[in-house]
Amino acid sequence: MFINKTPDNKNNICGENIMKFRKELKLSQRALADKLQLIGLNVDKNAILRLECGQRLITDIEIIYLSEALGRSIPELFGM
C-alpha cells in the first residue's frame, strides 16, 4: 500500500523548517506570503499556515520560490 504522508501524518516534510527559517527572518506568515507574491508565487497567509503545520502538500514550484524568499537552499528546506 502506498502511503503519501510522513510518519507523523503530515502532508510535507519541510513545513517545520519553513516555519523555522521564516521566524529567523522575523517574518509573519502574511509577510512571507506577500514576499512570495512579489516574486511571482500566488499564495496567501492561510496557505503558509497550512504548509507550515503539514496540512498542505507543497509543490516543487513552491519549494523553489520558498527557497528564494527565505534565502535558503532547497536541501536546507528539507533538513539536509
Side-chain angles (χ1 to χ4, degrees):
M1 182 171 100
F2 180 74
I3 298 174
N4 196 19
K5 293 195 182 240
T6 65
D8 55 352
N9 208 36
K10 293 186 177 184
N11 290 314
N12 66 63
I13 60 173
C14 57
E16 290 178 5
N17 288 329
I18 291 167
M19 179 171 42
K20 180 179 92 173
F21 297 142
R22 174 183 61 77
K23 287 181 176 183
E24 285 176 4
L25 293 171
K26 296 181 177 24
L27 291 173
S28 66
Q29 291 171 337
R30 181 173 307 282
L32 177 57
D34 291 346
K35 189 172 184 177
L36 288 164
Q37 287 179 5
L38 287 173
I39 61 175
L41 182 65
N42 187 20
V43 295
D44 63 13
K45 176 220 173 266
N46 293 326
I48 301 299
L49 170 69
R50 290 190 317 271
L51 69 86
E52 286 184 350
C53 68
Q55 294 178 345
R56 183 178 178 280
L57 294 171
I58 305 173
T59 68
D60 52 355
I61 294 165
E62 291 169 328
I63 290 291
I64 292 168
Y65 279 97
L66 284 160
S67 172
E68 181 179 341
L70 295 169
R72 298 294 184 142
S73 70
I74 291 171
E76 284 179 295
L77 295 182
F78 286 97
M80 302 172 144

